[in-house]
Amino acid sequence: MDVVTSAVPGVAGSVLQDVRAQERPVFVPVLVQAPTLIAHLDLLSGIRDLVDPLRGEFRIVGGTSRGERELTVVYTGGLEGSSGRDVSGVYWRKIGLTATACQPFAAARKDRLVEFATAGGAGPFLGSVGGTNALWPGAIASSAVIGENMRVQVTSEVPVYPTVELVGPMDSFTGTLRLEDSTLPPFFGGQSWSVSIPTGVPAGSTLRLVTDPRARSIRMDGQLAAGRVARGSTLRPFYPGVNVLDVSAPGGTEETRVRIRWRELHRSIW
């Protein structure tokens, strides 16, 4: 973790300004063995193809009683060296695979989804109204009425950047977020998620906001639409705990939807 502090004249100690998790180095010991040289080389080739950095990142998956989690990493080394052969004729190689996780937290393997509808189209279809208490893995959580006090339960161990889909019709959209039982860390300046779409979303269209800074995107039916989002909107993360979303979406019908999806993040892969 990177911790940034600043001194205050005349005051002992310092003031916390920022905390940021750095990319995570990963070490994975691997034993490759096979009864024949050809089979052994085939296994090594398969590993090389899997972790080839020119093909991008690969995932390390961990399974526990609390479910599966995955860490997305990029290969940095470890496949160099030569193989050996033991007295029984088995070919083997011990590999110390090294990699880097640019996203340092392990993610759940399935999305969590909360969907809100207008009063005419609302009604719980899995879980209770306004919550994410569906049985694990709970790919879909619940449906509730669009308006004030829309509760979004985030069980992630760290803040998450959601993807938000606004399904028209709606003449305009305004959404603000607050935490139910706690306050934001002071280094976030007290600001939370806030989005305004003055021109709304036409009937039959979907405005999709990917808020993750690593892949931020705002598109209407697949086309670039960043200009529809008002200046001053803040695509902050959702925080662990109960996030309360207040939404105004006039002009909605039974087809209008607000969908919020994310993947829970964890400090460890187990």
Side-chain angles (χ1 to χ4, degrees):
M1 287 284 188
D2 271 354
V3 177
V4 179
T5 62
S6 64
V8 178
V11 177
S14 60
V15 176
L16 179 65
Q17 296 293 321
D18 193 12
V19 177
R20 186 179 65 176
Q22 291 294 322
E23 60 186 24
R24 173 177 293 184
V26 177
F27 176 78
V28 183
V30 180
L31 173 62
V32 181
Q33 58 182 13
T36 67
L37 178 59
I38 297 300
H40 179 69
L41 294 177
D42 285 344
L43 289 174
L44 289 175
S45 295
I47 293 176
R48 288 193 184 96
D49 291 342
L50 174 66
V51 305
D52 184 357
L54 298 179
R55 299 186 179 186
E57 298 170 308
F58 66 98
R59 294 181 178 90
I60 299 174
V61 179
T64 70
S65 59
R66 291 177 290 179
E68 289 187 337
R69 300 172 185 175
E70 62 185 26
L71 191 64
T72 302
V73 302
V74 60
Y75 168 83
T76 56
L79 290 177
E80 305 81 5
S82 58
S83 300
R85 185 182 183 187
D86 63 21
V87 293
S88 64
V90 173
Y91 292 84
W92 60 272
R93 182 187 294 187
K94 291 183 178 179
I95 299 172
L97 197 68
T98 59
T100 297
C102 298
Q103 161 59 279
F105 302 111
R109 303 206 73 195
K110 292 186 178 181
D111 289 349
R112 296 297 302 273
L113 169 64
V114 180
E115 179 175 292
F116 300 93
T118 58
F125 54 91
L126 184 61
S128 66
V129 172
T132 53
N133 64 335
L135 297 177
W136 185 91
I140 298 178
S142 63
S143 177
V145 178
I146 294 175
E148 295 184 350
N149 300 318
M150 294 160 49
R151 300 173 74 251
V152 180
Q153 176 75 49
V154 176
T155 58
S156 176
E157 294 177 356
V158 297
V160 294
Y161 284 94
T163 294
V164 180
E165 294 179 347
L166 306 178
V167 181
M170 53 182 74
D171 296 337
S172 63
F173 174 88
T174 303
T176 57
L177 188 80
R178 66 183 189 277
L179 288 177
E180 184 177 65
D181 299 320
S182 59
T183 58
L184 294 175
F187 45 81
F188 282 100
Q191 297 181 10
S192 185
W193 194 89
S194 175
V195 172
S196 175
I197 315 291
T199 56
V201 181
S205 292
T206 299
L207 182 64
R208 190 169 188 263
L209 297 89
V210 180
T211 66
D212 190 335
R214 293 179 178 84
R216 183 157 290 175
S217 173
I218 301 173
R219 291 177 176 269
M220 174 86 78
D221 299 332
Q223 302 300 314
L224 295 175
R228 302 185 74 92
V229 179
R231 291 188 177 185
S233 296
T234 55
L235 301 179
R236 297 280 188 174
F238 283 20
Y239 295 88
V242 178
N243 293 256
V244 182
L245 187 62
D246 293 331
V247 165
S248 173
T253 69
E254 292 188 359
E255 304 301 320
T256 303
R257 295 288 187 275
V258 176
R259 299 189 185 111
I260 306 169
R261 68 178 76 239
W262 70 95
R263 289 200 179 189
E264 309 285 1
L265 297 176
H266 304 275
R267 294 188 179 91
S268 69
I269 201 170
W270 60 85

